[in-house]
Amino acid sequence: MRLLVIGGSDAGVSAGLRARELDPSVEVSLLVADAYPNFSICGLPYYLSGDVPDWRDLAHRTSADLEAAGLELLLDNTAQAIDPAAKQVTVTSQHGEQQLGYDRLVIGTGAVPVRPPIDGLDLPGVHLLHTMADTFALHQALTAGAQSAVIVGGGYIGLEMAEAFTARGLSVTLVEQAPAVMPTVDHELGELLGHELGRHGVQVVNDVTIKAIHHEAGGLTVAGEPDFTATADLVLVVVGVRPDIDLALAAGVQTGVRGALRVDRRMRTNLPDVLAAGDCVETWHRLLEAPTYLPLGTTAHKQGRIAGETAVGGNTEFAGSLGTQVVKVFELAVARTGLRDHDAHEVGFDPVTVGSVEYDHKAYYPGAHQLQMRITGDRTSGRLLGAQLLGDQHAQIAKRVDIPATALFHHMTVESLSELDLSYTPPFGSPWDAVQMAAQTWTRQTHGGQPTQAASHETPP
């Protein structure tokens, strides 16, 4: 059986490796549009900051590792068209055009940066950041002596790049059209992140929409509304991504939420023997029990693994995503999982979000840090709906958010978080973990400390 995979990033590589793991007789070929298979897009800011000195270290696996696992790498080969009836893909490279046949096809074309309606987006010195080519171009601008930067977009990549540019000695202005940076968390946490950016010299501008970029004698001038102008040596535009679907759409693959490719939970499209996974497809949301669009590396790996299993005859279904994410912003970390109030309202829950401040470990032990905790639950059933955490980068935010993420995965109530048997020693925690204390605060404020309707048992999905 010949498995052809279009895309050499997280989903595509995971699909190929899983297929070979289950059936070593499968011939797997990876079509990679550039020369950088399995490179970490999430790691790009840390190469540009200098934290990762060698860009080669961003590879999850080397080409030699992938080939040793039985994957044929077709680098610098671009898929131009899919013929599902003939089971062929038209491919171009420096050697010309060829047709590649397949028995099963996995589409893992990923996402592309959103290009907002800004005049001057294609000017020299204006950068996007998603590929290794984007990274090399930006790195060249930095090493050429850029001293100032304007970042358009205050999401995950924007904040990480604000820290990266600051580490390189640049003067940084970050512009976000929302009232606070990181609009994927509640405003209160976004404000704290804005203060942290300012504390490290980043000028944060909110409630401004950038309209134009143009060259002037002093560099690039960025103009926005209302009443904003700034001049810098380089401009980085990072306002999100959209699914890269053109190839699949032309072949007849159906689309769904936000234009992403529609797949079932075994990653099958509407076309026979054509699967898709990763940032180009819809994601089954475990809590909503409906498709959504969540372009995350963790999700892409899981979906790719499912696609690889399906390709060789497996029947495992994708269990679903909760949108669990974390980001480091200078000396802070912020994380979220599940739903926020407005998300929950839209699907019929009666959400209540309660904030509290807890210590990451016993306050008497040196180095204790306060954590900003926000727990969201359903007022009637007590079901846990989401959680948000912010605190010091050393306060285990990334692993602590995994507690409510796991609870959400198993449809637990807020109250039942207190029943979890978690580890404790004074240097690392408290007899009640910070997440459990935040959950108890939620119960006190919403139900006067009384058990919720579903008591401490799991609620049905």
Side-chain angles (χ1 to χ4, degrees), residues 231-274:
T231 300
D233 296 328
L234 66 86
V235 177
L236 176 64
V237 180
V238 281
V239 295
V241 298
R242 62 175 179 82
D244 187 354
I245 62 167
D246 292 348
L247 178 72
L249 194 62
V253 178
Q254 294 175 353
T255 59
V257 177
R258 287 183 55 183
L261 302 180
R262 179 171 293 159
V263 293
D264 65 12
R265 293 175 63 184
R266 291 172 59 188
M267 314 316 298
R268 297 175 298 188
T269 72
N270 59 296
L271 299 180
D273 297 319
V274 177

Side-chain angles (χ1 to χ4, degrees), residues 258-300:
R258 287 183 55 183
L261 302 180
R262 179 171 293 159
V263 293
D264 65 12
R265 293 175 63 184
R266 291 172 59 188
M267 314 316 298
R268 297 175 298 188
T269 72
N270 59 296
L271 299 180
D273 297 319
V274 177
L275 303 104
D279 291 355
C280 61
V281 308
E282 294 179 330
T283 297
W284 180 258
H285 197 289
R286 189 167 177 86
L287 205 159
L288 296 176
E289 295 189 315
T292 185
Y293 184 62
L294 290 170
L296 297 169
T298 49
T299 300

